[in-house]
Amino acid sequence: MVNLTPLLPELFLFCWALVVLASDLFSKRRSASLPGYLSLAGLVITGFLLIPAHDAYLWGGMFVSDPFAVFFKIIFLGAAFMAIGSSFGLAGRMTHHRGEYFTLILFSTVGMMFLASAKELITLYVGLELTTIPLYVLAAYTKSSRASTEAGLKYMIIGAVSSAVLLYGLSIIYGLTGTTFLQQITINLSIYWLSYGELGPAFSIALMAILAGLAFKLALVPFHMWAPDVYEGSPTPVTAFLSVGSKAAGLAAIVRIFVGAFIAFATPVMAPRDWGSTLAVLAAITMIVGNIVAIRQTNIKRMLAYSSIAQAGYIMVGVVAASNLGVSAISFYVFSYMFANMGAFAIVAIIAERTGSEQIADLAGFSKSSPVLAGLMAIFILSLAGIPPLAGFLAKYYVFAAAVQAGYTWLVVLALLTSVIAYYYYANVIRMMYLSADPNPHHIVPSFPAGLVLALAGIGVILFGLMPEPILKLAIAAASSFVF
Amino acid sequence: MEMLIFAVAAIVALASAVMVIAVKNPVGGVLFLIMSIAAQTVLYIMLSGIFVAAFMILVYAGAIMVLFLFVIMMLNLRHADLGPDSLRRVKPLAWVFGSVLLAELVWVSMAASMPASGIDETFGSVPAVSRLLYGKFVYPFELTSVLLLAAIIGAVVMARKGS
């Protein structure tokens, strides 16, 4: 009999999602509040259930509860909380399937949690699919909108293709090692390495296929073509959830597989069967393309989409470092990125809700009509840009420090240069809000749940910029889940 | 004898897979896909993967592809509806990258120095698969049911009219 206590947070959230689904049947016709508030409560309770999480190792590593998994689960729950909090306006306008909307977000979150805990390839893959399949539907949720339908379809086709590529790589690994358990894969590979002194090209192909499959999920250049269209077309809270939650989930998978199982093949010394140099090149072009193309965007959702592509590039710089410092740095990075990005998208959702516009130009004079919202938007944008003393600055600093320590100085120089480019389009938003003389006719007051999200995001960005110690401690503990 | 069966099945599987994307008529494409799956089933039987072989016929060729066929026939697409070939400009690139990938994979299978891990006789038989499914891998198996539930809810949402 297996002790299922470590699975309690996941099992609870799954059952709670079903409760939310049923609650819609009993809520009044025109109200989105009941399933929405129930979902928020469920996420908070799941968060509390995570606290006593002990180290657990079930079914030979199919479910592992280590500090890394717990840290990422907190991020997933936070992202889902803020996505649902900013969804009330959208859900209020739905005539059908309000409960299903929240249920699908919760299902996706459960999938991410299973994924972060998986140290076995089949479980990891099922977790990844459970994460993305609800997201396909969520992207297409506004069925009356052509762009949303297109986003959903595009996301599904790209998702299916990338899953196929990923599975192809995973199956070669299974063929070579005869096991799907990550720990055993590492052992078997080193046995082969010692006895033959060579792994053969099949191993390199497998590494590249896995990397490409996961790069699609993370929208790294050149696997990013889907991201701007999908981000622009999806309902804004879903876009926010996509850009933070599913990105963090893909990152967890990359770290589990590459840092967890293939750490021996991280350094370019192992060329041509290393993954470090390939990922470094991907990170470099992701930062360049993401930042440069973001400059030309006039739609704020599209701009944030390219900005999040670039952010994924910075995160990869930390993965490339493949060190203790690297993993703790990216953990902290994703944590701070969650607050800033969810906050920025929440404000975009609130504004678009009122004015119906997603153009950067329509933010003109926003600081005079809604000073608090404009101030918060400025803070989120500045944190994304990496300006001290906000959390985004420290996050970038740690990631770059880890990469320098690992010997990737050229990558860090490039990252710094592209960060400077990024200031341009980030500053453009702030310039529009504060320096434009045009008066803005809309005085916007967010609803209670949206206000809650903004408060949470604002506090997170400022507080963890000034006092990063508690989170840093957790991030360092998360990195201790891996052997370097 | 085995070599002959393998060669025939492999050639049929490959050729009909190519035809799936080569033919213009969607119904023809689906029929070729069924043929490719049938040929792959022969390959699985030769690898003594009886369970997978049965599933290829029952689920893929049987259920899913017949459903495909019904949907495509119901849509009743004509040539004119499909519009101009939107992929014309990327096709040369696809040929280049596809050939490079093919060459790489052929080279890999030629130069495979690392021995594939050995498996015993019963691997892929129905008792062996079910023992794994309900024993060692019961957790991801149960997880799949959550995945299916999520997919069903998503499908219901997508299928119903109204926003």
Side-chain angles (χ1 to χ4, degrees), chain B residues 9 12 14 29 33 41 43 48 64 70 80-81 113 116 123 131 135 143 150:
Chain B
V12 171
L14 278 177
L33 196 50
T41 309
L43 295 180
S48 58
I64 296 178
F70 271 127
D81 298 337
S113 62
F123 187 89
R131 217 169 288 128
L143 214 55

Side-chain angles (χ1 to χ4, degrees), chain A residues 436-452:
Chain A
S436 169
D438 305 344
N440 194 307
H442 300 284
H443 173 67
I444 299 173
V445 182
S447 64
F448 170 69
L452 192 70

Side-chain angles (χ1 to χ4, degrees), chain A residues 68 72 207 210-211 214-215 218 220 247-268 274-284 286-287 309-334 395-408 410-412 415 479 482-484:
Chain A
F68 177 79
F72 269 78
L207 277 189
I210 297 173
L211 198 58
L214 290 173
L218 275 159
L220 300 181
K247 215 162 254 207
L251 176 68
I254 282 201
V255 174
R256 275 275 184 233
I257 295 179
F258 286 96
V259 179
F262 300 141
I263 187 69
F265 305 96
T267 57
D274 74 311
W275 52 269
S277 46
T278 314
L279 196 56
V281 172
L282 282 187
T286 302
M287 291 185 293
I309 290 173
Q311 300 280 351
Y314 295 126
I315 296 172
M316 286 308 122
V317 172
V319 180
V320 165
S323 62
N324 208 322
L325 187 60
V327 174
S328 48
I330 54 172
S331 302
F332 185 79
Y333 198 112
V334 181
K396 275 210 174 74
Y397 173 77
Y398 292 131
V399 165
F400 295 168
V404 168
Q405 196 195 42
Y408 283 97
W410 65 271
L411 198 57
V412 173
F482 297 95
V483 183
F484 294 101

